[in-house]
Amino acid sequence: MEKRIKDFEDYAITTEGKVISYKYKQPRVMKTWLQKSGYENIKLCKNNQTYHFLIHRLVAEAFLSNPNNLPEVDHINGIKNDNRVENLQWISSKDNINKSYLTSGLNQIRNFCECLLIKSDTQEIVDKFHSITEASVFASENFGCSKSGLMRNLKSKGYEIKKV
């Protein structure tokens, strides 16, 4: 079964998570790719602009009712690229985080792992933090480092983060 994607009428999404383009003479199944995080992603075009979407979100919006207006989509079996409609459910942010703690463990998800902020040139330890985010915010506010650079690459402007 398939439904047209809201606001992108030249495209449809199936219950299996396939995106079909109707922009050409023959319908085409579009290629997707996996993000670093493991989620399947697609680009759709409209009015010469490109938009990025997560496949599981498109499937949920098309086929799952959301009477409680929950903000996030959960993969029931925990497999991030299993985007079949029967594997998806709407979930609150709090419940999604709690589920990720239960299934992955505290140190493996959401940047919650103890780490050290270190001066790169001297290897001097600046401080110990409970998360990469916490260390990145501290370095950004105190040393002018790029918060996003530290979170993404674990280094910025002469400082680096090392997981404990």
Side-chain angles (χ1 to χ4, degrees), residues 32 36 50 56 60 82 93 98 104 132:
T32 62
K36 264 186 182 178
T50 303
H56 66 284
D82 182 356
S93 298
N98 287 339
S104 299
I132 292 170

Side-chain angles (χ1 to χ4, degrees), residues 60-145:
E61 287 173 351
F63 298 104
L64 296 177
S65 64
N66 189 5
N68 297 325
N69 203 24
L70 296 169
E72 297 184 16
V73 180
D74 174 49
H75 289 84
I76 296 167
N77 67 8
I79 301 171
K80 295 177 181 180
N81 63 351
D82 182 356
N83 297 310
R84 296 170 298 124
V85 69
E86 59 269 13
N87 184 44
L88 302 175
Q89 65 182 351
W90 289 102
I91 192 169
S92 71
S93 298
K94 180 179 178 182
D95 288 342
N96 200 16
I97 289 170
N98 287 339
K99 182 180 177 189
S100 65
Y101 283 128
L102 292 172
T103 58
S104 299
L106 178 63
N107 292 328
Q108 295 178 357
I109 61 114
R110 306 239 182 231
N111 284 338
F112 290 103
C113 60
E114 289 198 342
C115 57
L116 302 172
L117 180 64
I118 298 173
K119 285 181 112 177
S120 298
D121 56 352
T122 63
Q123 293 298 299
E124 174 190 341
I125 296 172
V126 176
D127 209 343
K128 186 175 184 177
F129 297 90
H130 295 291
S131 71
I132 292 170
T133 302
E134 185 182 7
S136 299
V137 168
F138 179 85
S140 173
E141 291 173 353
N142 292 284
F143 306 117
C145 296

Side-chain angles (χ1 to χ4, degrees), residues 46-61:
K46 180 179 175 182
N47 300 328
N48 292 324
Q49 277 196 291
T50 303
Y51 300 86
H52 294 259
F53 293 95
L54 295 168
I55 298 295
H56 66 284
R57 184 112 190 147
L58 292 174
V59 172
E61 287 173 351

